[in-house]
Amino acid sequence: MTRIRVSRRLRVEPLEDRTVPASLDPATGIGYSDDGKEFIALMELPDPVRLAESEAHGNTGASVLSPPDVFQLHSRPGASKLIFLDFDGNTTTGTSWNNASLPAIYTPTYDVDGDPSSFSTAERQRIQGIWERVSEDYSPFDIDVTTEDPGAGGFINSGGGDTHWGIHVCIGGDSSWLGASAGGVAFIGSFGSNTDICCFVFENNLANGDEKATAEAASHEVGHTVGLNHDGLYPSSDPRHVEYYEGQGSGTTGWAPIMGVGYYQNLTQWSKGEYANSSNKEDDLNIITTQNGFGYRPDDHGNTVGTADPVTLDSTTSISGDGVIERRGDFDYFKVQAGVGPLAIHVRPFANSPNLDVLAELYDANGTKVASANPTDAFDATINYNVTHAGDFYLKIDGTGKGSPVTTGYSDYASLGQYTFTGTIVEPPPPDPLQVLGVETLQGPTGMVNAVRLTFNVTPDLTTFKFGNLRVTGPTGAAIPVTMIRPLTGSTTVYDLLIKPQKFIGTGGVRVYLSPNVSTGFKKLDQDNDGIDGEVDDFLGAAAYPFESTSAGPITDDGVPTEFPITVPALVAGQPVNIKDVNVRVNLSHPYVSDLLVELVSPTNKVVKLFDHRGADGNDLKDTRFDDLATKTIDAAVAPFVGTFKPDGGSLAMLNGDDAVGIWKLRITDAFAGAAGQLNSWGLTLTTDSARSGLHLTAINPVSETGSAVATLVSGLTLDFDAPVNPATMTTADVKVTDPRLKAVRVLSVVPAAGMGNMRFLVATAPWTVAGNYTVKVGPAVADMLGDDLDTNGNAAYLEVTDATMTAVPVANHVFRSKAKPTAIPDGGSLTSAIAVGATATIASMAIELNIQHSAVGDLKVTLISPTGAQFVLIDHSGTGANFVRTVLSDEASATNTLATGAAPYRGDFRPDNSLAGLVGTSAKGTWKLRVEDTVTGAD
């Protein structure tokens, strides 16, 4: 860090009449030190009576610490910048304060009882009080106010990589060595100097070390070291000029700037000269935080309802908390869970000379402000509110101002600092665990699904019931964007997840996932109702499955019921499909629909009356839908019936909880002869919550075409899952293969393996010809028969990037294949086939796969010719019978497995008739040839 040296103007605050040096001009307060450096003496003297009156407005009285403890105080331990308040004496040498006639400056110990040999109880109490007040002034910043000596290296900025520095504040004695009576002195901008250039606070000149006066002087002098000037009245050229401004207002909320005179007002703050006739408009906060190597301290609490920290529960009915308002625009939010009855919270700023004037506000779970407190003549604030509905509330703490900062008040510019709060609440009742009672798809008259409706048992916390904690997928397992989460009018427990209207076809269903992080504010989702909320097993798994009839036809006339079946299969063998909701769609033609009674018959023979002789002489049910949650009843409509209606005299809810597996029937009875009708189609939409666990890929195995132990040619793989997979969700788009060069390997097909119940899939790919690790990626949009997608990371949130399974599959050998088409071997002649190898690779072992069709393999001689011309006879008229079928020749084959001992057709691994060891260690690059000679005529 580059350190900027600034002019060393000496700031001196005289507190009593003294004979000033001859070089000091009493009219201006400007003087010069012996070595010619300018200083300014502040001639205004404090009034002990007024000082005592100002103390009466504050809350004094620190607890008494032991001697070791009082010299080990830290306001922000670990901060790299510090303010060291030194009370036990110091000798200053080798600094800009010193010269030939003043080689050493001795600061005695802080002593208010005349006994410098020890620190009395009263002195320790004052030291702690001074430290607390200075700590409050500097609490917004990332700096440690301490009474523990860090050693000289802790003050100075030695340059290079040094990040720890600060200022040494020597407190004690008087200013006799200055030749003027002063309360303190400091060089402007000396914070982080490369020498221990103290600033001084003269206890003897501050009403015998008065706690408030000494603290105000210390904060003021440190203010000079971080670059601040005096806050006074009028410009210096004006005869009315006053170097220090004593503040405005009175009583508890009387205000003064720290860089003015802070002795006589209870509230002292940093300033930017907002008061009338200010002589200094500099922005204290900006200068402090931008010119000294430190800024504001990190925010300690969330600034919104959504990031609120919980209050501390001291008991079931007592709460507390603390924090710091560290900058303008900082709000601290705390979450309070309260039962019905009185709620009271008292927020207090720092006890001694606070800098913070508190504004406290209370918000309910919907973000509506229900109470606030900001007393006119006090810094603390008390919220009193009568809770009528148990739930979450949010306490907001902010700094505020009072009145006009120009005349008698102050703005919220520097209303910053520490606070604590305590409170009492009525203990909230034990919360019900959050559960989803129902999931259903909402369809328009044309059968387009436009929303998914969720019904909760209790009101969810809207800060957790949000897009990041839910997913909707379609029959293929792909995500369906949710455009809005909208509560049902007049309800706090029913919400519609709006989607783009669309039709869903297939057995995958419309699937809803709800993370277990969704909560009431008290309890997270407990969908499995085991009393343990927020588990992975608690995510909601519910899907709506459409089933359409394959049967249709005439409706029997004259009172004989006609039944049209739909079979609902077990989506997973042996597992029931528990019903959470049922909707029915009917499309039929009839000239007098009032002749008809239409009923739904479940697999357990429960009967729900859907339509009971309505419509008078009207005709047809045109895509008529029956849903318990419909807003219309069919008796209020006229034929032809189009739209969604409540069942006519029955309730589909009576089927909830039953197993949907089996034969469902639509029973139609035409009670009157003479008019014939026709069922065109009918369908069921079932919602189930049977699915509650994620799908997992358990194994990926490459498939080698050769079947060899010594040579592989991978051109596919098998995928094994822990549950039956919906084939509609497993396509070539869901499997990606990348070779060791990061090039894609083409996926040709993905099909279920026969006899494996959709738990194993066969993936065909282009050959894997390069040795190394191949990466296989599966998903994430792969779902089981119940609609559960892959949940590889196990967090119950689906369709995340991390839910895709990434597996490395090693391949040991390079593969080079002949591109020649099948060619006949001349009877009694020969042919040669070539393979060009472009890769530079050193041969460690070699295997040659042959596919030769010949009725007498003993007639053949097969020779491998290397790029260098070296020849290796692989087969020298060995064997009897017909054909070499995927015959692998390699020195790696078993020594007992030779062509001479084998039998045709030769399939598997064999030793060649001549070893290939001469190729080991040579380069594979070049053109390789295989010569096949048929030396005997008469066999093909």
Side-chain angles (χ1 to χ4, degrees), residues 278-537:
S278 168
S279 65
N280 182 5
K281 301 293 186 181
E282 66 185 10
D283 187 332
D284 288 358
L285 297 176
N286 181 63
I287 292 172
I288 292 172
T289 57
T290 61
Q291 298 183 13
N292 298 283
F294 63 89
Y296 292 102
R297 68 190 296 159
D299 196 1
D300 54 354
H301 297 292
N303 286 342
T304 65
V305 166
T307 58
D309 289 329
V311 298
T312 299
L313 279 174
D314 300 311
S315 70
T316 57
T317 59
S318 298
I319 62 173
S320 64
D322 58 69
V324 177
I325 302 298
E326 73 277 346
R327 69 179 73 191
R328 297 189 77 183
D330 177 33
F331 314 118
D332 286 0
Y333 277 85
F334 293 87
K335 184 176 181 180
V336 184
Q337 297 176 345
V340 175
L343 176 154
I345 302 174
H346 186 193
V347 185
R348 303 174 182 86
F350 182 69
N352 297 333
S353 293
N355 290 39
L356 176 67
D357 186 354
V358 173
L359 169 62
E361 297 174 331
L362 187 69
Y363 293 80
D364 65 16
N366 296 319
T368 301
K369 184 166 63 176
V370 296
S372 65
N374 178 25
T376 302
D377 295 318
F379 301 138
D380 58 348
T382 300
I383 293 283
N384 287 293
Y385 180 70
N386 185 43
V387 176
T388 57
H389 293 87
D392 292 340
F393 293 86
Y394 297 89
L395 172 66
K396 175 185 175 184
I397 298 175
D398 186 15
T400 188
K402 174 188 176 182
S404 170
V406 177
T407 55
T408 60
Y410 47 90
S411 73
D412 68 347
Y413 164 76
S415 189
L416 312 171
Q418 305 169 83
Y419 64 83
T420 60
F421 65 85
T422 56
T424 58
I425 58 171
V426 173
E427 183 179 3
D432 292 327
L434 183 67
Q435 294 177 349
V436 178
L437 302 180
V439 179
E440 61 176 322
T441 55
L442 302 184
Q443 297 173 316
T446 61
M448 304 283 275
V449 177
N450 52 42
V452 179
R453 176 165 290 173
L454 300 182
T455 301
F456 294 93
N457 61 329
V458 293
T459 303
D461 181 351
L462 300 184
T463 64
T464 65
F465 181 41
K466 55 188 178 181
F467 289 104
N469 284 334
L470 61 88
R471 297 282 192 280
V472 176
T473 63
T476 66
I480 299 171
V482 176
T483 59
M484 182 182 295
I485 303 172
R486 185 176 66 188
L488 186 65
T489 302
S491 175
T492 61
T493 57
V494 181
Y495 291 83
D496 292 336
L497 311 180
L498 303 187
I499 62 175
K500 179 182 177 181
Q502 54 197 291
K503 284 196 174 182
F504 295 106
I505 300 172
T507 58
V510 180
R511 185 83 163 82
V512 179
Y513 312 102
L514 207 61
S515 164
N517 290 324
V518 178
S519 72
T520 63
F522 296 107
K523 290 281 190 178
K524 293 182 178 180
L525 199 68
D526 185 22
Q527 197 64 20
D528 61 1
N529 200 28
D530 66 352
I532 304 174
D533 65 319
E535 300 172 294
V536 171
D537 292 340

Side-chain angles (χ1 to χ4, degrees), residues 439-441 443 449 473-475 504-513 541-548 566 568-572 575-584 660 664 683-692 724 726 783-789:
V439 179
E440 61 176 322
T441 55
Q443 297 173 316
V449 177
T473 63
F504 295 106
I505 300 172
T507 58
V510 180
R511 185 83 163 82
V512 179
Y513 312 102
Y545 297 87
F547 296 94
E548 299 294 327
I566 288 178
V568 174
L571 301 175
V572 176
Q575 182 170 336
V577 178
N578 298 317
I579 298 171
K580 297 295 288 187
D581 187 67
V582 179
N583 296 325
V584 184
W664 293 75
L684 285 172
T685 300
L686 297 172
T687 299
T688 178
D689 66 350
S690 295
R692 283 191 183 141
N726 180 355
D784 65 18
M785 296 302 294
L786 292 169
D788 290 304
D789 279 302

